[in-house]
Amino acid sequence: MTVNEDSFTNWKTREEIAESMIPIVGKLHREHDVTVLLHSRSLVNKSVVSILKTHRFARQIAGEELSVTETLPFLQALTTLDLGPSQIDIGMLAATYKTDDRGLSVADFTAEAVAGATGANKIERREGRDVVLYGFGRIGRLVARLLIEKAGSGNGLRLRAIVVRGGGEADLVKRASLLRRDSIHGQFQGTITVDEATSTIVANGNTIKVIYANDPSEVDYTAYGIKDAILIDNTGKWRDREGLSKHLRPGIDKVVLTAPGKGDVPNIVHGVNHDTIKPDEQILSCASCTTNAIVPPLKAMDDEYGVLRGHVETVHSFTNDQNLLDNYHKADRRGRSAPLNMVITETGAASAVAKALPDLKAPITGSSIRVPVPDVSIAILSLRLGRETTRAEVLDYLRDVSLHSPLKRQIDFTTAPDAVSMDFVGSRHASIVDAGATKVDGDNAILYLWYDNEFGYSCQVIRVVQHVSGVEYPTFPVPTV
C-alpha cells in the first residue's frame, strides 16, 4: 500500500468513527441535557467533517492532534452512566487520562471524573425559561440562532417572542429571511417557516411570536402566555436603570442589555464576574464586545503577573452605527463612509474594565479605529506587568489558561502563522490569543486578541442569560487552574 493510500484509508476510518459519535452526542443531548464538548467546543449537531476538524484544531493549542480513536471510548463510557444536565469535555477527559498513573480503565476514570453529574449528585432538569428578544438586529438575530440551537431537549431557554417596530408590507417575511440567511455568518442551520396570520416564525420547531410595538409600555407579555421571562434588549436605546425598567412589564422578570450599562447597572463579563450577580437583580448589562474580549485575558495576566497599567487599542470592524456613504452623523467622524475609511473613534471598553474587575487597581486607557471589514476585530492589549517574564512563559501560561482554567470558554489560543480576521468568524470565545503576534520584553507584554464582535459576543450574552436563568449547567472535568 502506498503512503497516499494509507493516508486515505486512515481518513476513511476516522470518518467512520466520527460518524458513530454523532448519534451518541445527539442522544445524550436530547435525553439527558448533556452537551458534549471537545476542548470547550460543542459537538452537538456537528457534521462528520466538523468533528474531525475540531479534533485536529487541538494540535494548535495542545501541540498535537487529538484523534477520534482517543475520545470515542470516553464518549461510549458516558452512555453507561446515570447522567444529569451538564457539559462534559471529552477532550479534557482524554488529556487528563493520559497523565493519570493509577491504571484505571477508561470507564472507571470517566465515572470518577464526572461523578458530580451522576447519581445522587446530578441536578434535575429544570422547567424551560422563557426568553424575549427586544429588537432583532445583528446581535438579536445571532442570539436568536443560539437560543434555537440550544433548545435541545426543550428544558433550557425557550425563545418565545421577538418585539420589533412595524416595518410595513411583508415585514414578517423579511425579518424571517434575515434570520434564515446572513452574509457573514451563513445559512441558518435548520428550517424556518412563517405564519403571517398568527404573526409567528417557526424555527426548528420553536414557535416564536413576533410582537409589534413602539415602546415597552405597549406590551403585556402574559397575553401571549409568557411568564417570568428574561428579556434581552439588543436595541441599546435604554442603557440606565430607569430606562431599562420600562421592560419590567407583566410576564418579564429580568432584563439583560447587550450594550454597556450606565450608572449602577452591573456590567457582566461571563467567566470573570458573573458570579457576583445578586439573585434579586432584575437589570444587568453584558457590557460591550470589546470589554468581553479584553477583560478575561486581562484578569488572567493580572492573576499570574500583576498588571500595573495598560492600554488597549481596538481595530474594530464597522457597524450599523456608521454610514455606508458620507452623511450627517451626530458623532464627529462616524458620518464618513465606513467601507472606504479607517475611522478613529472612542471606546468605553477601558473604563468598563473597572466595573468588571473592581480589584484591578491598574489604570487602563483605550482608543479605537473602525476599519472596512464587516466582522471580527482585534484588540491590542499593551501591559506593564508586576514582574519580568519571557514570551515563552506568557504563551505557555495563556495556552494552559485556554485549555484548563475556568476562563477556557472565554479565552481561545491560536498558533496559526497565517491567521487573519476572517478565520475567526463564528468563534464562540470572547477572544483568541494570537501566539505569533505576542510580544514580551521584560515587564512589558503586548497581546493581540482577535474576537468575533458579533457572534463571540452573542455567545457571552447567552452564557449570562443561562446563568441568571439557572440553566447554566456544570462542566466536567472540573478545571484545575
Side-chain angles (χ1 to χ4, degrees):
M1 181 178 292
T2 67
V3 173
N4 287 341
E5 289 173 335
D6 188 53
S7 296
F8 185 68
T9 299
N10 179 264
W11 169 260
K12 300 301 289 184
T13 299
R14 288 186 291 133
E15 267 191 327
E16 185 178 357
I17 294 172
E19 192 172 77
S20 73
M21 298 173 82
I22 293 174
I24 301 175
V25 171
K27 186 173 182 179
L28 286 169
H29 188 56
R30 287 190 306 275
E31 297 184 4
H32 300 277
D33 266 1
V34 172
T35 299
V36 177
L37 309 174
L38 189 89
H39 286 315
S40 300
R41 289 165 169 77
S42 173
L43 296 185
V44 177
N45 292 328
K46 294 298 187 289
S47 67
V48 168
V49 171
S50 180
I51 290 173
L52 292 174
K53 286 181 69 175
T54 305
H55 278 75
R56 183 169 175 79
F57 182 81
R59 182 180 63 171
Q60 291 192 28
I61 50 180
E64 58 182 5
E65 184 173 345
L66 190 61
S67 172
V68 286
T69 60
E70 297 176 80
T71 57
L72 179 62
F74 295 95
L75 185 60
Q76 291 171 328
L78 293 177
T79 65
T80 67
L81 301 174
D82 179 26
L83 290 169
S86 56
Q87 299 185 103
I88 299 178
D89 195 320
I90 59 174
M92 288 306 303
L93 283 173
T96 52
Y97 182 68
K98 284 183 179 180
T99 61
D100 189 90
D101 58 4
R102 294 174 295 165
L104 297 176
S105 67
V106 167
D108 288 342
F109 180 85
T110 301
E112 179 184 274
V114 303
T118 61
N121 295 323
K122 72 180 183 181
I123 60 176
E124 296 301 320
R125 292 190 186 190
R126 300 180 177 93
E127 183 181 350
R129 189 70 176 269
D130 290 351
V131 178
V132 173
L133 290 178
Y134 198 95
F136 205 47
R138 297 296 303 153
I139 300 301
R141 292 194 295 274
L142 291 177
V143 167
R145 285 187 175 202
L146 286 165
L147 287 168
I148 294 163
E149 170 194 302
K150 294 178 181 296
S153 62
N155 292 280
L157 301 173
R158 302 181 303 194
L159 177 56
R160 295 292 306 282
I162 298 164
V163 184
V164 293
R165 290 178 299 199
E169 185 178 355
D171 179 274
L172 189 64
V173 173
K174 290 177 180 178
R175 293 187 188 277
S177 181
L178 286 169
L179 178 63
R180 185 181 290 115
R181 288 177 286 271
D182 190 281
S183 299
I184 296 169
H185 301 282
Q187 297 276 345
F188 174 81
Q189 296 300 304
T191 62
I192 293 174
T193 57
V194 175
D195 187 338
E196 292 186 90
T198 59
S199 191
T200 57
I201 295 173
V202 181
N204 291 358
N206 297 269
T207 301
I208 306 160
K209 180 72 176 180
V210 178
I211 302 169
Y212 292 98
N214 293 314
D215 188 82
S217 63
E218 299 177 10
V219 189
D220 177 355
Y221 295 95
T222 59
Y224 303 99
I226 296 169
K227 62 179 182 178
D228 298 324
I230 298 172
L231 182 144
I232 303 173
D233 183 332
N234 55 90
T235 67
K237 183 176 181 180
W238 303 278
R239 293 172 58 184
D240 59 13
R241 187 172 295 275
E242 180 182 1
L244 292 168
S245 294
K246 295 179 180 180
H247 290 302
L248 294 174
R249 304 280 301 155
I252 302 299
D253 179 55
K254 296 181 184 294
V255 179
V256 175
L257 171 67
T258 65
K262 294 182 177 180
D264 67 342
V265 174
N267 280 251
I268 303 300
V269 174
H270 191 275
V272 175
N273 67 336
H274 66 278
D275 55 357
T276 65
I277 302 172
K278 298 176 181 177
D280 60 349
E281 179 61 75
Q282 288 188 288
I283 296 174
L284 53 94
S285 156
C286 290
S288 70
C289 56
T290 302
T291 303
N292 276 266
I294 66 173
V295 166
L298 185 57
K299 172 177 168 45
M301 293 297 287
D302 188 49
D303 287 346
E304 179 67 17
Y305 303 102
V307 172
L308 303 182
R309 66 172 179 266
H311 176 81
V312 59
E313 188 77 33
T314 70
V315 182
H316 199 290
S317 57
F318 62 79
T319 69
N320 274 329
D321 177 62
Q322 297 170 257
N323 289 336
L324 189 63
L325 294 171
D326 288 6
N327 210 343
Y328 173 80
H329 195 289
K330 63 181 180 180
D332 291 334
R333 306 187 202 230
R334 293 196 186 191
R336 303 299 298 276
S337 173
L340 296 177
N341 293 290
M342 293 189 292
V343 179
I344 298 174
T345 186
E346 73 285 342
T347 176
S351 59
V353 167
K355 280 193 170 185
L357 281 176
D359 294 337
L360 180 70
K361 305 307 179 185
I364 306 293
T365 57
S367 53
S368 178
I369 303 172
R370 296 288 181 93
V371 294
V373 296
D375 186 33
V376 180
S377 304
I378 190 166
I380 305 168
L381 188 58
S382 180
L383 303 174
R384 173 77 181 276
L385 304 177
R387 67 175 174 87
E388 292 193 354
T389 182
T390 65
R391 180 174 181 272
E393 182 188 343
V394 168
L395 290 178
D396 284 346
Y397 170 65
L398 290 176
R399 179 189 289 109
D400 195 55
V401 167
S402 74
L403 281 170
H404 306 297
S405 82
L407 291 172
K408 65 182 182 179
R409 296 172 73 193
Q410 282 71 44
I411 300 175
D412 203 1
F413 191 91
T414 182
T415 58
D418 55 351
V420 293
S421 60
M422 285 300 291
D423 297 330
F424 304 103
V425 171
S427 169
R428 296 182 179 232
H429 288 77
S431 61
I432 306 100
V433 176
D434 191 313
T438 300
K439 294 174 172 47
V440 179
D441 182 11
D443 60 356
N444 290 298
I446 303 176
L447 307 182
Y448 286 73
L449 308 166
W450 298 100
Y451 58 108
D452 185 329
N453 49 278
E454 294 186 335
F455 197 73
Y457 175 68
S458 296
C459 290
Q460 282 288 87
V461 171
I462 289 294
R463 290 170 189 139
V464 171
V465 173
Q466 286 177 318
H467 179 74
V468 299
S469 70
V471 296
E472 184 182 37
Y473 298 139
T475 301
F476 299 95
V478 177
T480 56
V481 176

